[in-house]
Amino acid sequence: MTKTLGIGILGCGNISAAYMRLAPLFKGIEVRACADLNEAAAKARAEEFGLRAESIDGLLGADDIDIIVNLTVPAAHFEVSRKVLEAGKHVYSEKPFVLSVEEGKTLADIAASKGLRVGSAPDTFMGGAHQLARHLVDEGAVGKVTSGTCFVQSPGMEMWHPNPDFFFQPGGGPILDLGPYYISNLVQLLGPVKRVCAMSSSGSEYRTITSQPRHGDKIKVETPTTIHAVMQFHSGAQITYCASWDVWQHGHSNMELYGQGGTLHVPDPNFFGGEVRMTDKGSFVSLSEAWDHPFSRANDGGNANYRTAGLADMAQAILENRPHRCSLEFSLHAVDVMTSILASGETGQFIDIGTTCERPAALDPQAAQALLT
């Protein structure tokens, strides 16, 4: 592969620096320009990373840009991605991909009519730890997975994020903000979800920002901040999922999968690395098999951080004419599951999931290395 696809970043907020900083790790992509409604933000990022600052229309029309990465706020994802596709460019969105199944299907129709690709974060399920878990599940190391638990609970985002308002607006909340990591990882491990049920609540009506520069400002909470859900997978597995921003401390593991022959402890899907542990029935066993996965290696302050892997995989997939892992169908199914969990929390009813998807192809160490420079 010799061709390099030009990448444009639309949205120069907090997360844009990670894409700009980590993209040079990967083959086949080069971040060339950025844009933002706030032109000063785009100019600052451009100067920081040696890029070209563009207007939004300029980025959409730039001849050297093949893929635009949509890093706008969740409520704008659909409209921005639509404009990117209509401009004739591939689009890769931050999570959540869209806020409704209808929006996702509209983008799918536009992309299909123009022969374009759509992809979406998260790509953390491509990390070495989660691909080891995938390998163990596929090899039947713990037998058929029958049930499991997931917990992602904290006090919230207002303690550290400079502008946390969108976390507590429709399109935010712990399901749509953190759920993509957990749901995507579960689907790549177990396959698609069949139906869900949930209960939801909000711990308080307002949140007080304690980060800078807006210390003391209050945010109105407009979306549930505690959700307890159960997902039934087509495989037969039943997974309990608890997501909350109303919890100061807890002792639950991030993800546990219970098989007929043992238990698999999977680390936080919000990250690429971490320790995978497994039992044979009730006793822990050593995972002695060598698993030197490139996306397990610490590269960022002691952590394995390979954000942009999903974008690089999509670019290489375009060049190689193969499916990409962070696909529209995969991402849309996760959105369907998450929005159905929220709807069930409102109505108290079981909801059948109307979409489905194929599990993304596994990313073994050799395939991961092929993405890197």
Side-chain angles (χ1 to χ4, degrees):
M1 184 182 68
T2 57
K3 185 175 167 89
T4 296
L5 297 187
I7 307 298
I9 303 290
L10 208 169
C12 295
N14 206 44
I15 196 60
S16 63
Y19 280 88
M20 296 170 182
R21 180 168 57 88
L22 296 169
L25 294 174
F26 298 95
K27 295 176 183 174
I29 58 172
E30 181 182 58
V31 179
R32 294 172 176 165
C34 61
D36 194 284
L37 280 173
N38 180 348
E39 292 185 3
K43 289 179 180 177
R45 281 287 189 242
E47 291 176 4
E48 183 180 359
F49 290 97
L51 308 176
R52 184 176 79 248
E54 289 271 13
S55 67
I56 292 175
D57 287 342
L59 188 67
L60 291 172
D63 291 337
D64 65 339
I65 300 299
D66 302 290
I67 305 173
I68 290 182
V69 181
N70 180 359
L71 302 185
T72 58
V73 296
H77 281 180
F78 166 71
E79 188 60 29
V80 169
S81 292
R82 183 183 65 79
K83 288 181 178 178
V84 172
L85 292 171
E86 289 176 345
K89 301 187 186 302
H90 308 286
V91 64
Y92 183 90
S93 177
E94 247 307 320
K95 51 80 188 171
F97 165 46
V98 286
L99 298 183
S100 73
V101 171
E102 292 72 21
E103 290 179 345
K105 288 181 175 178
T106 297
L107 294 182
D109 289 342
I110 297 171
S113 71
K114 292 180 172 289
L116 295 169
R117 297 282 188 113
V118 177
S120 178
D123 53 8
T124 46
F125 71 88
M126 296 168 64
H130 307 297
Q131 289 302 309
L132 173 57
R134 166 72 175 264
H135 172 71
L136 293 170
V137 168
D138 288 351
E139 291 292 306
V142 294
K144 178 181 172 63
V145 175
T146 58
S147 62
T149 58
C150 294
F151 289 89
V152 54
Q153 302 182 128
S154 74
M157 308 297 193
E158 66 271 29
M159 280 74 72
W160 64 270
H161 198 283
N163 290 292
D165 306 66
F166 71 92
F167 289 113
F168 301 99
Q169 296 169 354
I175 288 294
L176 287 172
D177 181 64
L178 297 172
Y181 299 105
Y182 284 76
I183 304 302
S184 296
N185 203 32
L186 287 170
V187 172
Q188 77 103 9
L189 290 169
L190 303 175
V193 178
K194 182 177 182 180
R195 65 174 182 162
V196 302
C197 64
M199 298 179 68
S200 61
S201 63
S202 296
S204 58
E205 187 178 357
Y206 290 90
R207 310 290 284 235
T208 301
I209 299 175
T210 56
S211 61
Q212 296 296 336
R214 296 174 56 204
H215 188 282
D217 286 1
K218 290 188 178 297
I219 306 169
K220 184 173 176 58
V221 176
E222 301 179 81
T223 190
T225 51
T226 292
I227 300 93
H228 290 190
V230 178
M231 295 171 281
Q232 181 184 39
F233 287 71
H234 283 278
S235 68
Q238 300 174 23
I239 308 294
T240 299
Y241 177 45
C242 300
S244 179
W245 286 338
D246 298 312
V247 175
W248 285 103
Q249 194 277 338
H250 69 92
H252 297 291
S253 300
N254 290 111
M255 183 178 289
E256 298 179 2
L257 300 179
Y258 309 130
Q260 292 174 329
T263 293
L264 197 61
H265 294 257
V266 182
D268 190 347
N270 196 16
F271 301 97
F272 286 84
E275 182 186 10
V276 178
R277 297 185 299 151
M278 186 180 76
T279 72
D280 179 5
K281 296 183 179 178
S283 301
F284 280 99
V285 297
S286 172
L287 294 176
S288 57
E289 178 185 359
W291 188 259
D292 184 20
H293 198 286
F295 295 170
S296 289
R297 299 170 192 161
N299 67 322
D300 187 21
N303 296 316
N305 183 6
Y306 294 89
R307 188 184 292 269
T308 308
L311 171 64
D313 177 66
M314 186 173 92
Q316 289 197 22
I318 292 168
L319 296 171
E320 297 168 1
N321 193 30
R322 62 166 174 83
H324 58 288
R325 291 172 173 86
C326 295
S327 69
L328 185 152
E329 294 78 13
F330 177 66
S331 303
L332 184 58
H333 182 64
V335 167
D336 195 3
V337 172
M338 292 184 293
T339 55
S340 295
I341 285 173
L342 291 173
S344 178
E346 293 178 359
T347 65
Q349 297 178 343
F350 281 87
I351 295 180
D352 293 329
I353 305 301
T355 62
T356 190
C357 67
E358 297 291 330
R359 289 201 298 166
L363 188 77
D364 63 22
Q366 184 177 0
Q369 189 62 51
L371 293 176
L372 296 169
T373 55

